């Protein structure tokens, strides 16, 4: 079995300036990164231009694998289309390979038939925008019960229905995979894997939320190692990107130690 290739989402250290974040990863042997458009006082929201982001990446010899994310992508409106064009343009200009697409997650748009129709409309609208920018759209189903797109299979069916397999891939998120309770994985359709663990032994699966998401340790309840093993065994060869949302992770004084510990744990258990 091939060894996993690790990447870092800026959520590992959201307070760290982008250049310093790239340097942090390089000390760990990591050269692939996800940048975000939801971090105040940091690139992208602080006005950092895509050209500046590209220059930072080139200077450090690293690769930007995605911008995370176009929110509510499956609620396709003129405003969403404009937002998609702006983010896709930014992604292409900064050298990012892909744009993560996050579905509506507020309890709306969930009805049978409605959600599938909305998804296909959005994918059809996004396809020419992504083609023009020369980037991939990474569809990320969320496992939360209120989400309008929980199922990876439903996402794959919609992508295939619009002949979009050359422009759209899945994000397999190990946290959301467990919350959704969907056993199947789709390695051939997967373009990115997000990994994080939940160590809290008290919280029920249905009550797990982003703040519970830490690095992957021996206390992990999400079976990250088993998910990673299954994806690798079935031919997935893309990056596994750490995406912890826990305030405890963000507050740590030893990010390098946390990430190194997680990488070592996963490699040992594989």
């Amino acid at each position: 079995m091939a060894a996993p290739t690790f990447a870092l989402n800026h959520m590992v250290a959201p307070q760290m300036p982008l250049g310093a974040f790239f340097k942090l990863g390089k000390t760990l042997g990591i050269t692939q990164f996800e940048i975000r458009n939801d971090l105040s006082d940091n690139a992208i929201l602080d006005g950092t231009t895509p050209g500046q982001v590209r220059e930072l990446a080139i200077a450090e010899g690293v690769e930007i694998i995605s911008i995370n994310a176009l929110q509510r992508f499956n609620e396709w409106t003129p405003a969403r289309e404009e937002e998609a064009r702006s983010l896709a343009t930014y992604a292409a200009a900064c050298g990012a390979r892909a744009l993560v697409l996050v579905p509506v997650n507020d309890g709306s748009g969930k009805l049978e038939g409605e959600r599938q129709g909305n998804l296909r409309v959005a994918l059809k609208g996004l396809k020419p925008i992504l083609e023009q920018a020369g980037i991939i759209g990474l569809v990320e189903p969320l496992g939360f019960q209120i989400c309008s797109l929980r199922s990876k299979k439903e996402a794959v069916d919609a992508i295939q229905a619009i002949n979009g397999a050359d422009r759209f891939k899945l994000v397999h998120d190990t946290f959301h995979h467990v919350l959704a309770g969907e056993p199947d994985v789709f390695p051939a359709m997967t373009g990115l894997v997000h990994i994080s663990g939940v160590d809290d032994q008290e919280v029920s699966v249905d009550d797990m939320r982003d703040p519970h998401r830490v690095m992957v340790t021996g206390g992990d309840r999400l079976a990250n190692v088993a998910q990673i093993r299954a994806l690798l065994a079935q031919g997935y060869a893309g990056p596994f990107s750490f995406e912890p949302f826990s305030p405890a992770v963000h507050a740590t004084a030893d990010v390098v130690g946390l990430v190194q510990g997680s990488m070592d744990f996963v490699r040992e258990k594989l």
Side-chain angles (χ1 to χ4, degrees):
M1 184 186 299
T5 299
F6 292 111
L8 293 182
N9 187 294
H10 207 164
M11 197 50 73
V12 167
Q15 73 289 346
M16 188 174 286
L18 200 55
F21 184 57
F22 291 159
K23 290 180 187 297
L24 165 81
K26 285 181 66 182
T27 67
L28 292 155
I30 292 173
T31 59
Q32 294 183 315
F33 298 84
E34 293 185 86
I35 64 175
R36 303 185 66 93
N37 65 327
D38 60 356
L39 301 180
S40 57
D41 301 322
N42 214 326
I44 301 167
L45 287 185
D46 66 358
T48 301
T49 68
Q52 290 171 312
V53 173
R54 179 190 281 269
E55 287 170 9
L56 283 172
I58 290 172
E60 295 299 335
V62 303
E63 181 180 12
I64 301 170
I65 54 177
S66 81
I67 292 179
N68 195 331
L70 175 65
Q71 299 286 340
R72 304 179 72 91
F73 85 91
N74 55 339
E75 182 182 68
W76 196 246
T77 64
R80 192 77 62 248
E81 180 177 358
E82 183 55 39
E83 186 182 2
R85 288 188 190 281
S86 176
L87 271 173
T89 300
Y90 193 106
C94 78
R97 293 197 321 226
L99 174 61
V100 175
L101 307 170
V102 173
V104 173
N105 187 44
D106 62 6
S108 65
K110 284 180 57 183
L111 295 178
E112 190 71 29
E114 174 193 22
R115 67 175 189 270
Q116 293 92 340
N118 287 345
L119 177 57
R120 293 185 187 195
V121 167
L123 294 176
K124 285 180 182 176
L126 278 161
K127 188 179 177 185
I129 294 172
L130 297 170
E131 286 173 345
Q132 184 175 6
I135 62 171
I136 296 295
L138 292 170
V139 179
E140 182 169 21
L142 305 183
F144 301 125
Q145 292 183 7
I146 62 170
C147 187
S148 61
L149 177 59
R150 302 183 72 202
S151 164
K152 290 188 285 296
K153 184 180 187 307
E154 206 162 275
V156 169
D157 288 347
I159 290 168
Q160 292 175 339
I162 66 133
N163 297 313
D166 60 335
R167 195 52 58 185
F168 295 98
K169 299 292 183 186
L170 296 179
V171 176
H172 176 114
D173 185 297
T174 57
F175 173 81
H176 289 296
H177 180 73
V178 171
L179 267 60
E182 183 181 32
D184 295 335
V185 296
F186 299 87
M189 284 296 294
T190 300
L192 176 64
V193 178
H194 282 156
I195 56 177
S196 60
V198 174
D199 290 350
D200 188 329
Q201 300 301 308
E202 305 298 322
V203 64
S204 69
V205 171
D206 285 348
D207 288 333
M208 289 179 181
R209 296 294 181 266
D210 279 340
H212 294 110
R213 299 171 65 176
V214 295
M215 300 300 286
V216 182
T217 72
D220 177 39
R221 295 175 55 195
L222 303 180
N224 268 271
V225 171
Q227 291 189 54
I228 293 168
R229 187 185 295 122
L231 285 159
L232 289 172
Q234 294 180 50
Y236 174 73
F240 293 85
S241 181
F242 288 104
E243 191 189 33
F245 286 82
S246 166
V249 173
H250 300 166
T252 184
D254 185 18
V255 183
V256 169
L258 277 185
V259 177
Q260 187 67 63
S262 266
M263 291 195 299
D264 291 346
F265 171 76
V266 170
R267 286 169 177 151
E268 178 188 337
K269 295 301 180 182
L270 283 175

